[in-house]
Amino acid sequence: MKIFITGQYITKFGELWDRGLNELLIEAMDGAITSAGLEPKDIEAIFVANKAAGNFEDQHHLNAIASQHFSHYPPAVRVEAACASGSLAVVAAEQALAAGTYKTVLVVGVEKMTDVSSEMATHILSGATDVHLEAGSTFPALYALLAQQHMAEYGTTREQLSAVAVKNHLHALENPEAQFHKKFTLDQVSQSLLVADPLRILDCSPISDGAAAVVLTSHPSSGSPQILGWGQGQDSIDLANRASLTTLQATKTAAKHAFARAKLTPTDIQVAEVHDCFTIAEIFAIEDLGFVPKGSGGAATLDNRTTTSGNVMINPSGGLKACGHPVGATGVKQVAYLAKLLKQGQYQVGLTHNVGGSGATAVVHILKG
Amino acid sequence: MQPAQYWRQTKEWSSWIGKQGTVVATTQVRVASPERAGLTPYAYALVEFGSERRSFMGVGHSELEVGNAVECVLRKNANSDKKSLIEYGIKVQKLSSSSSA
């Protein structure tokens, strides 16, 4: 069975104090349906991705919130897998289509994070760790441990981490929906405020509001991007139980399944939206996805091999780092943004990579235009 | 933390207090969640105890380095006001004879 992306929509990402959770959700859903040239009644089911509206906004039961926007109240389900909620909702939708349960479905991801303090947001996000085994940790702290291991084993440098942030902020200048439209220098990133050594504030993706949606269909749809393959990987949620601290095994597992389903290899990928919640996370991603040899991700980035002039364009949207990271929306936004690029004909084959927590869950999608 | 959650976690304290291990990876947390904001900066370390690994906060504002020998101790691990639980938990403390690898 072939699955096509016939519609996509991404709201503005950022600190949207004048936009509520429901408004963002509705804007994304309506935008994707319009983009697909459909009517709301054509949507047979909705898959809603969200990490923590219950904590951020005291709002649970988001599947019903989404469904009630439609006069025919389509069945809806909420999917939660921390920062990988969005791409896992896409997987759930694909499985429903593949099973023949539905022919046309809507996937929407949303998060409203900026109504609480940054400290409270840090606390809520840390719920994606094992709160018992990793008490006292924060996500910057966990990725800092991974960064230190990568630096010790492969010689990854402070400058190479900064190069990820500089590149993604440059890319975001071309994305009107991005949270940030500001250039940074290597020195500005390298000298920004320490959050958890060696990670600094400009190594971190921001706290964001936003939503994104895609319409998937199993009806033949010439001219629409097709989902060639997907894969999901899991690993220990607790870093202490990982076999390696310089590889995210969940990413490797997800990529292996996605490439096998698509019958492609990493050299076939022209563009990728990868999970750069921290600068070190993008270095892990491009290595574990097979775009560059293990240990060379930092050097590849500093040498401009992951931007316009390189072999594979990484994070043209600006990534989580500069486009923003409304966690439940991110995985859907990656697929929506890639679908838009493929429709425009800029690229023919692309990949998305979405991670939950510090690497316990990973999802990879491969699309062709 | 809710009292029942707190009570449940106390059940394993006795098995950790006094255990000695070696720091495998460590960072200094400088921005923390509200209940630990008053404790920053604090170390957060992945420690190897023989064949087992576990991560713990470091005591006080002490800095740890990879290779440090550490011991598990019981310490206050969150801010509290007059009406809430005073939370304690297992942390690691650098052994006085320890030097970095």
Side-chain angles (χ1 to χ4, degrees):
Chain A
M1 172 184 289
K2 292 180 178 177
I3 296 174
F4 298 92
I5 302 171
T6 55
Q8 77 286 322
Y9 188 88
I10 304 168
T11 70
K12 172 72 179 167
F13 280 12
E15 185 175 355
L16 309 175
W17 61 269
D18 58 333
R19 310 296 311 283
L21 180 77
N22 292 16
E23 289 173 274
L24 292 167
L25 184 76
I26 289 169
E27 179 187 338
M29 293 195 299
D30 286 349
I33 292 168
T34 301
S35 161
L38 298 176
E39 296 293 326
K41 63 179 171 50
D42 298 321
I43 299 300
E44 297 171 57
I46 309 170
F47 295 82
V48 184
N50 175 260
K51 179 189 183 296
N55 302 97
F56 284 116
E57 294 286 306
D58 296 326
Q59 180 64 68
H60 297 271
H61 211 174
L62 281 195
N63 63 319
I65 296 281
S67 182
Q68 74 173 357
H69 181 58
F70 296 77
S71 60
H72 63 301
Y73 297 103
V77 62
R78 176 191 165 198
V79 177
E80 190 274 316
C83 305
S85 302
S87 56
L88 212 53
V90 177
V91 168
E94 290 160 356
Q95 289 171 328
L97 293 172
T101 310
Y102 308 112
K103 296 288 188 188
T104 300
V105 300
L106 177 67
V107 185
V108 59
V110 64
E111 208 78 58
K112 175 73 188 173
M113 304 172 72
T114 66
D115 282 348
V116 301
S117 68
S118 57
E119 290 84 3
M120 183 54 72
T122 300
H123 173 72
I124 292 169
L125 293 173
S126 69
T129 65
D130 183 320
V131 296
H132 174 61
L133 291 176
E134 297 177 307
S137 70
T138 61
F139 270 106
L142 296 177
Y143 274 93
L145 296 181
L146 296 174
Q148 294 206 359
Q149 291 287 296
H150 203 275
M151 293 166 113
E153 191 162 335
Y154 297 113
T156 297
T157 65
R158 173 64 259 174
E159 190 179 36
Q160 291 169 352
L161 294 178
S162 299
V164 174
V166 169
K167 170 185 71 71
N168 289 346
H169 276 276
L170 270 177
H171 289 177
L173 293 174
E174 305 298 322
N175 177 5
E177 272 67 58
Q179 182 162 353
F180 299 116
H181 293 110
K182 181 175 171 61
K183 284 184 186 178
F184 287 100
T185 65
L186 292 173
D187 280 350
Q188 284 174 315
V189 180
S190 299
Q191 292 169 18
S192 61
L193 184 75
L194 267 171
V195 175
D197 314 40
L199 298 182
R200 296 171 179 269
I201 189 73
L202 288 176
D203 287 305
C204 307
S205 57
I207 293 165
S208 315
D209 306 326
V214 291
V215 174
L216 306 185
T217 186
S218 55
H219 292 299
S221 180
S222 63
S224 295
Q226 182 188 344
I227 297 173
L228 289 182
W230 62 270
Q232 179 183 351
Q234 299 287 156
D235 199 354
S236 164
I237 193 170
D238 176 18
L239 284 189
N241 284 314
R242 300 268 176 90
S244 168
L245 292 179
T246 53
T247 289
L248 293 192
Q249 184 57 46
T251 293
K252 292 180 77 105
T253 303
K256 178 183 168 187
H257 291 310
F259 280 118
R261 285 191 171 101
K263 297 183 174 60
L264 295 175
T265 67
T267 55
D268 296 312
I269 303 299
Q270 300 164 318
V271 57
E273 284 286 319
V274 308
H275 199 91
D276 61 326
C277 51
F278 299 94
T279 52
I280 186 63
E282 180 169 311
I283 291 172
F284 271 65
I286 61 176
E287 294 174 358
D288 295 338
L289 290 166
F291 295 142
V292 298
K294 194 69 205 169
S296 67
T301 307
L302 188 60
D303 294 346
N304 294 320
R305 283 182 269 147
T306 57
T307 187
T308 314
S309 56
N311 295 332
V312 57
M313 175 67 154
I314 301 293
N315 282 328
S317 73
L320 285 60
K321 175 70 193 76
C323 180
H325 184 26
V327 290
T330 287
V332 184
K333 166 252 167 179
Q334 292 176 321
V335 172
Y337 195 84
L338 181 57
K340 186 179 81 167
L341 293 181
L342 295 172
K343 275 186 180 175
Q344 290 170 345
Q346 284 181 257
Y347 305 95
Q348 285 72 52
V349 183
L351 176 150
T352 66
H353 161 253
N354 190 200
V355 172
S358 60
T361 302
V363 178
V364 170
H365 279 97
I366 297 173
L367 277 56
K368 81 165 183 178
Chain B
M1 185 180 288
Q2 295 174 23
Q5 290 176 316
Y6 185 66
W7 179 82
R8 285 194 294 270
Q9 76 166 21
T10 66
K11 291 191 290 184
E12 66 165 9
W13 284 355
S14 59
S15 67
W16 283 101
I17 293 172
K19 260 190 184 176
Q20 295 185 1
T22 305
V23 173
V24 175
T26 181
T27 183
Q28 283 294 107
V29 176
R30 296 164 193 277
V31 178
S33 51
E35 73 272 21
R36 294 192 175 90
L39 305 180
T40 58
Y42 62 82
Y44 185 77
L46 184 60
V47 182
E48 199 160 75
F49 299 92
S51 60
E52 183 179 11
R53 284 184 174 188
R54 181 89 178 247
S55 46
F56 289 112
M57 296 170 67
V59 299
H61 301 307
S62 64
E63 293 192 16
L64 297 172
E65 295 178 37
V66 173
N68 280 161
V70 293
E71 179 176 30
C72 292
V73 294
L74 191 63
R75 290 287 186 276
K76 187 174 165 182
N77 73 353
N79 303 321
S80 56
D81 57 36
K82 288 179 181 176
K83 293 181 180 175
S84 57
L85 285 169
I86 300 172
E87 286 184 32
Y88 281 75
I90 300 295
K91 292 185 177 181
V92 290
Q93 177 173 264
K94 187 161 55 175
L95 290 170
S96 55
S97 57
S98 174
S99 60
S100 59

